[in-house]
Amino acid sequence: MAFTKKIRLGDLLVEKGLITGEQLQFALGEQKKLGRKLGNTLIELGMIDEASMLNLLANQLNIPLIDINNYNYSDEVAKKLPETIARRYRALVLEERERDYLVAMADPTDIYALDEIQGKLDKPVGQAIVRESDLLENFDLVYRRTDEISALASELGQDLNESAPELGDLLQTEMTDAPVAKLLQSIFEDAVQIGASDIHIEPDKSVIRIRQRVDGVLQEQVMQETQIAPAVVVRLKLMCGLNISEKRLPQDGRFHVIVNGRDIDVRLSTMPVQHGESVVMRLLDQTRGALHLDHLGMPPDILHRFRKNFHLPNGMILVTGPTGSGKTTTLYAALSELNVKESKIITVEDPVEYRLDRINQVQVNPRIGLKFSNVLRSAMRQDPDIIMVGEMRDAETVEIGVAAAMTGHLVLSTLHTNDTISTATRLMDMGVEGYMLATTLRTIIAQRLVRRVCPSCAEDYTPTGFEAGWLSESLGFDLSQYRYKKGRGCKQCGDSGYQGRMGVYELLDMNAELAEKLRHDDSQGFVEAAARAPGYQPLVMVAHEHASNGLTTIDEMLRLAGEVPDDVIDHPPQAEAS
């Protein structure tokens, strides 16, 4: 049954000896200033930990304390409570029982909230207590915008069928209640809720697909209203200031939106395809800003060596890996640490992803001749201490970057190579003299992103025949010494078994032996010397450390190493019908 007697949380905590009377009075004063609940204020002030407070309330009220992340509740049941009420009062319906509903609440002593919740349900409320942070994460999982997107797409499709001649007028208005604007708003809100990095809008013959990339993998929603695709594309082009009449050529643009209080920069690319125009949008959350190096997940040894090198006064530091491996994020984290008033920093990027104070950031524009090499030459005349080049794309840019490093500047850049060892030989193939590399190259770091095992559904995993053979025969591991994990799939991870991603890093420091091999243009000797360099560990070995610690899976190791299991070749997954 629902709790009906008012409990004064502060008095209860003092009575049980968890805080003092003086602490309570101070917290009450801070609560008035912050406008927060007393419990949250006490936790933020460090006077009590959340677990102790929740256990006390659960015992005092005689209600269960639930780990909602491991509770198998139904979305259909949870949605019996409207989203606005659920978010306002921090409550979620977990179960419909014979006589009542089990409702998880962050503050079960809030009688007013309980009355409001009871008014929205057709049975009495039985309470449970949960962590508020867990509730907030689950709200985003339950109250997805997929149904809303489908309904708005249907509404827009009907409007276009009924008034096709007025489409141009509809799209060029700033009316926020226009179905196309509402549809895009819902698409962005859904993407931000689930932490998507990209949104793909793809027209096909009989359907339109909206796909969102989450943790590097696309999730798909299919709709039948193919007639809405041109309306959506035109509205997006208008937001970017692109040419809405040009449908034959690819176009790139950028715009800015506020989504659920988050400051989002959107990089947009259009491309003509068989049934219209495909749109891909990269979402850059400016609210987060650049990550701190300590938060990237680098192993302590690699982080220490990386820091030591980019704090040198000159030389070249390269971050390598394929597209989407987090190279730019690593460079921004390094720049944030180097960004002090005593140093002038210039970046040359395509495009500028995150805006950093005090740093002079230049976006290249090849259409008007503003290429990497041209900007880099001009940057050299701006008296910089540190130069970041978004990517070493061609021989001319590499040559100028190496020259800058030789003349006393610190140069940071990225390169598309698979590992650290092949990077130096790739630069030599691009025309850089070995002796120049030997003089300027300080360190190379290669990286990949692998998916993390979902902590809510992780369980022990025994490698299959192919996996066991690969680990033991190809990599030389004694499997009896290791334990692996894999997620079985749950609500928290969308049944994928993964939640979030982590970096895998490989670092190669230049030493006297490596420099000597470069001076003599001895590529093979360089490769052999690098493999035995102190502290060098290949990416796949680093990934195995994470897998054996239960942080990622053998599947992710195989993907990183470019290995394909035999059963995938012999029994490939069947494509789903449209």
Side-chain angles (χ1 to χ4, degrees), residues 144-145 149 184-199 210-214 259-260 281 283:
R144 289 284 305 274
R145 298 289 187 264
I149 290 170
L184 286 172
Q185 179 180 345
S186 293
I187 290 172
F188 283 123
E189 287 178 352
D190 189 54
V192 169
Q193 275 188 204
I194 62 174
S197 61
D198 302 84
I199 302 172
I210 296 177
R211 303 207 279 175
Q212 299 164 325
R213 191 174 295 280
V214 180
V259 183
N260 296 336
M281 292 176 282
L283 307 183

Side-chain angles (χ1 to χ4, degrees), residues 363-472:
Q363 179 163 323
V364 302
N365 188 348
R367 286 177 291 185
I368 61 172
L370 199 64
K371 300 186 297 183
F372 272 104
S373 54
N374 295 345
V375 179
L376 195 49
R377 283 196 186 93
S378 298
M380 293 279 287
R381 295 191 287 271
Q382 289 280 309
D383 187 31
D385 298 289
I386 300 164
I387 299 173
M388 187 195 92
V389 184
E391 183 185 343
M392 294 290 189
R393 291 187 176 179
D394 53 58
E396 187 178 12
T397 303
V398 172
E399 181 182 346
I400 301 170
V402 170
M406 291 188 72
T407 53
H409 303 87
L410 181 67
V411 178
L412 294 83
S413 190
T414 70
L415 198 66
H416 284 127
T417 54
N418 291 327
D419 53 41
T420 57
I421 295 179
S422 63
T423 301
T425 54
R426 168 76 183 281
L427 290 171
M428 293 171 71
D429 290 341
M430 294 176 74
V432 182
E433 296 290 344
Y435 75 90
M436 297 179 72
L437 282 180
T439 305
T440 58
L441 201 53
R442 298 286 181 257
T443 194
I444 307 167
I445 186 165
Q447 64 182 77
R448 299 287 191 282
L449 293 176
V450 296
R451 290 181 289 174
R452 287 181 176 270
V453 174
C454 174
S456 299
C457 63
E459 55 189 20
D460 289 339
Y461 176 73
T462 301
T464 64
F466 174 84
E467 293 168 343
W470 179 67
L471 289 168
S472 60

Side-chain angles (χ1 to χ4, degrees), residues 292-533:
H292 194 277
L293 266 178
D294 292 325
H295 300 156
L296 294 182
M298 284 188 188
D301 174 60
I302 289 180
L303 178 58
H304 174 75
R305 290 157 58 202
F306 184 49
R307 265 203 174 107
K308 181 180 177 181
N309 279 286
F310 73 67
H311 278 288
L312 293 172
N314 56 61
M316 178 177 285
I317 294 169
L318 296 175
V319 182
T320 74
T323 301
S325 60
K327 301 186 297 297
T328 304
T329 300
T330 299
L331 284 184
Y332 271 113
L335 283 182
S336 296
E337 194 164 306
L338 292 167
N339 187 13
V340 295
K341 62 182 180 181
E342 292 83 8
S343 297
K344 175 154 185 170
I345 303 175
I346 298 177
T347 72
V348 187
E349 307 173 63
D350 183 21
V352 174
E353 293 197 7
Y354 293 102
R355 293 168 176 82
L356 302 174
D357 293 337
R358 198 189 288 119
I359 293 180
N360 298 272
Q361 297 173 273
V362 182
Q363 179 163 323
V364 302
N365 188 348
R367 286 177 291 185
I368 61 172
L370 199 64
K371 300 186 297 183
F372 272 104
S373 54
N374 295 345
V375 179
L376 195 49
R377 283 196 186 93
S378 298
M380 293 279 287
R381 295 191 287 271
Q382 289 280 309
D383 187 31
D385 298 289
I386 300 164
I387 299 173
M388 187 195 92
V389 184
E391 183 185 343
M392 294 290 189
R393 291 187 176 179
D394 53 58
E396 187 178 12
T397 303
V398 172
E399 181 182 346
I400 301 170
V402 170
M406 291 188 72
T407 53
H409 303 87
L410 181 67
V411 178
L412 294 83
S413 190
T414 70
L415 198 66
H416 284 127
T417 54
N418 291 327
D419 53 41
T420 57
I421 295 179
S422 63
T423 301
T425 54
R426 168 76 183 281
L427 290 171
M428 293 171 71
D429 290 341
M430 294 176 74
V432 182
E433 296 290 344
Y435 75 90
M436 297 179 72
L437 282 180
T439 305
T440 58
L441 201 53
R442 298 286 181 257
T443 194
I444 307 167
I445 186 165
Q447 64 182 77
R448 299 287 191 282
L449 293 176
V450 296
R451 290 181 289 174
R452 287 181 176 270
V453 174
C454 174
S456 299
C457 63
E459 55 189 20
D460 289 339
Y461 176 73
T462 301
T464 64
F466 174 84
E467 293 168 343
W470 179 67
L471 289 168
S472 60
E473 295 171 17
S474 299
L475 302 182
F477 292 113
D478 179 358
L479 300 191
S480 64
Q481 297 182 12
Y482 301 100
R483 295 182 63 185
Y484 304 98
K485 296 281 187 182
K486 192 168 186 175
R488 67 178 179 277
C490 67
K491 183 175 296 295
Q492 303 306 311
C493 60
D495 292 322
S496 68
Y498 297 98
Q499 192 173 44
R501 289 191 290 178
M502 63 187 300
V504 177
Y505 301 92
E506 165 189 307
L507 187 139
L508 177 65
D509 283 326
M510 295 299 295
N511 57 32
E513 183 182 9
L514 293 174
E516 189 64 22
K517 300 297 182 184
L518 289 177
R519 285 192 186 93
H520 292 88
D521 295 327
D522 184 359
S523 298
Q524 185 58 39
F526 177 86
V527 170
E528 294 170 357
R532 59 177 182 267

Side-chain angles (χ1 to χ4, degrees), residues 80 89 121 128 130 195 212 227 255 262 298 458 471 515 556 567:
K80 288 182 178 290
Y89 298 117
L121 299 174
V130 296
Q212 299 164 325
Q227 69 272 32
F255 62 92
R262 306 192 73 83
M298 284 188 188
L471 289 168
E556 288 294 282
D567 60 344

